[in-house]
Amino acid sequence: MKLIGIGDLLIPSSYIEEGFASYRERGVTVETVDWPLRDYEELQNINLRIETEGSEAYDVPDTLVEQLRDAEILITQFCPITKKVLDACTKLKLVGVLRAGYENINVPYASAKGVAVFHTPGRNATAVADFTVGMLLAECRNIAKAHANLKEGRWVRDYANAGAVPDLEGKTVGIIGMGQVGVKVAHRLHGFGVHLLGYDPYATVFPNFVTQVSLDDLLTQADFVTLHSRLSDETKHMMNARAFSLMKPTAYFINTARAGLVDEAALAAALRDKQLQGAALDVFEHEPPAADDPLVRLPNVTITPHLAGGTTDAFLRSPVLLAEAMASALSGDRSSHWIVR
Ligand SMILES: NC(=O)c1ccc[n+]([C@@H]2O[C@H](COP(=O)([O-])OP(=O)(O)OC[C@H]3O[C@@H](n4cnc5c(N)ncnc54)[C@H](O)[C@@H]3O)[C@@H](O)[C@H]2O)c1
Ligand SMILES: O=C(O)[C@H](O)[C@H](O)COP(=O)(O)O
């Protein structure tokens, strides 16, 4: 069997080779190629989504397709596996995507050809959970704003929340979405002595120190609301003007998940009108946001450029997790719950 991994800027070929090294002992030839992208900005500017069969925005270069032809197993992170790739790779049996999301894979077309697609849920949940706690503290304790000021030579000790700077201990944190990231955020914050509320209509198991509540109860009671659901038609703009109006005027909102979960205009209005104390955001509808975007300009917002999932450990771990998940499939087993169905 031949496995070909497509390395990119975030998960290079060497990480894929390392992650799948044990496959060599199982008689699999492991080769890698590089997706010819020049920089990370180019990656962000390519529309990687394959909405439906036949509507594929990205034309995989012919030179790359030629290098993939012999693959029986293809591993990719962001490189789209389009109809063109799937038609060219006539021996293909398995595709592994080094991400939780798989919108860059033409899953319906792969399935129709009998090719199983694996994904890697939770691969960077540790990274995002750590970062979320950092963002929460950064905003309510003005860490990033003070750092920026002092770097510019300004000794500023009062910020938008002057007179209302909180301790975490004893406060209430509401977690929306108790999946891979949400649960890890709960475990981290438990150590701060906060009361934890959780809302997730689909999660079956909540940690025993998280009280399961309705979304409205969470929004009304929490001093901090942190968002960790996945973006779907159902969750798009779940944080809208009504949701922000339910929150305490002293409360903070943190989003390290997806911008589409939030009505950004409603959030900016709530922050400007002091319906909310502050926000910390890692994700934006337009990345990068315009310099005059209110969420960039407002004084009660801490912002970062979509950094939450980006630890070296997460990038190194992704091929290892995927290799473990796909191992039983080498002998034809198609029962893994990491197969996209
Ligand atoms: N900023 C970054 O760098 C970065 C990196 C990785 C992941 N993410 C994002 O973080 C978020 C969480 O990722 P994850 O791995 O924990 O996903 P996950 O799929 O494990 O968890 C998502 C949870 O959302 C829940 N959910 C679905 N509909 C809901 C609703 N209507 N209300 C509340 N909860 C609902 C699901 O039941 C699930 O438990 C995702 O949006 C993901 O795209 C961001
Ligand atoms: O940076 C992120 O948000 C994610 O790591 C990236 O966009 C895709 O990762 P996924 O959630 O699909 O694993």
Side-chain angles (χ1 to χ4, degrees):
M1 251 192 184
K2 182 184 271 198
L3 177 151
I4 303 183
I6 308 170
D8 61 34
L9 294 155
L10 300 178
I11 301 187
S13 295
S14 59
Y15 291 12
I16 299 177
E17 273 163 22
E18 220 171 294
F20 284 88
S22 65
Y23 278 33
R24 293 202 168 93
E25 290 151 30
R26 299 163 185 261
V28 177
T29 311
V30 177
E31 290 180 7
T32 53
V33 297
D34 290 323
W35 184 22
L37 275 194
R38 284 188 298 279
D39 57 30
Y40 186 59
E41 202 168 325
E42 190 178 352
L43 173 63
Q44 287 185 309
N45 289 337
I46 291 174
N47 181 1
L48 299 172
R49 296 183 65 84
I50 293 173
E51 306 291 348
T52 54
E53 185 190 333
S55 121
E56 296 176 339
Y58 180 71
D59 187 24
V60 181
D62 290 343
T63 45
L64 179 57
V65 174
E66 278 311 308
Q67 293 175 286
L68 304 177
R69 271 188 193 283
D70 288 343
E72 284 155 89
I73 306 171
L74 266 185
I75 304 299
T76 182
Q77 180 177 220
F78 289 116
C79 180
I81 303 300
T82 59
K83 196 167 181 284
K84 177 174 168 179
V85 176
L86 292 163
D87 281 339
C89 300
T90 52
K91 300 175 195 157
L92 196 61
K93 294 184 181 62
L94 304 172
V95 170
V97 57
L98 295 157
R99 315 175 42 197
Y102 41 82
E103 62 266 26
N104 53 322
I105 314 296
N106 194 329
V107 178
Y109 197 67
S111 303
K113 284 181 157 286
V115 174
V117 178
F118 282 72
H119 71 140
T120 321
R123 69 193 180 101
N124 53 11
T126 296
V128 180
D130 291 351
F131 196 89
T132 301
V133 176
M135 287 295 270
L136 185 157
L137 283 166
E139 172 55 25
C140 76
R141 300 298 307 275
N142 304 304
I143 295 169
K145 288 171 268 186
H147 171 86
N149 270 323
L150 201 45
K151 284 278 185 183
E152 298 293 323
R154 294 184 294 268
W155 184 262
V156 181
R157 288 163 52 88
D158 277 352
Y159 289 90
N161 59 353
V165 179
D167 280 347
L168 288 196
E169 195 171 287
K171 298 295 189 303
T172 298
V173 180
I175 302 176
I176 302 175
M178 294 296 293
Q180 306 262 2
V181 174
V183 167
K184 281 184 182 270
V185 169
H187 279 278
R188 281 153 180 71
L189 287 174
H190 188 47
F192 282 81
V194 298
H195 306 294
L196 285 160
L197 307 178
Y199 168 72
D200 188 325
Y202 304 107
T204 43
V205 185
F206 280 54
N208 61 8
F209 49 84
V210 179
T211 308
Q212 190 170 354
V213 292
S214 70
L215 181 58
D216 283 8
D217 283 350
L218 181 150
L219 294 169
T220 343
Q221 292 170 31
D223 300 299
F224 299 87
V225 171
T226 182
L227 185 53
H228 301 289
S229 23
R230 274 202 175 262
L231 181 58
S232 64
D233 289 344
E234 180 199 338
T235 58
K236 186 172 166 57
H237 286 194
M238 67 184 296
M239 289 304 295
N240 50 27
R242 177 184 173 276
F244 291 122
S245 74
L246 292 178
M247 288 175 63
K248 298 179 185 178
T250 49
Y252 294 85
F253 173 69
I254 297 98
N255 186 12
T256 58
R258 283 289 178 267
L261 296 162
V262 177
D263 178 342
E264 287 189 339
L267 173 60
L271 289 162
R272 192 181 45 238
D273 301 344
K274 299 287 163 61
Q275 272 177 33
L276 280 187
Q277 184 70 264
L281 309 170
D282 184 50
V283 285
F284 302 87
E285 199 63 56
H286 299 287
E287 294 186 354
D292 63 352
D293 187 320
L295 295 174
V296 174
R297 308 292 306 170
L298 281 162
N300 48 347
V301 188
T302 293
I303 51 174
T304 47
H306 205 137
L307 286 180
T311 61
T312 307
D313 286 317
F315 295 138
L316 272 167
R317 185 189 307 119
S318 304
V320 176
L321 292 174
L322 184 58
E324 279 168 13
M326 290 178 73
S328 56
L330 295 178
S331 46
D333 180 354
R334 297 286 184 273
S335 61
S336 168
H337 61 278
W338 280 15
I339 292 187
V340 179
R341 295 182 202 275

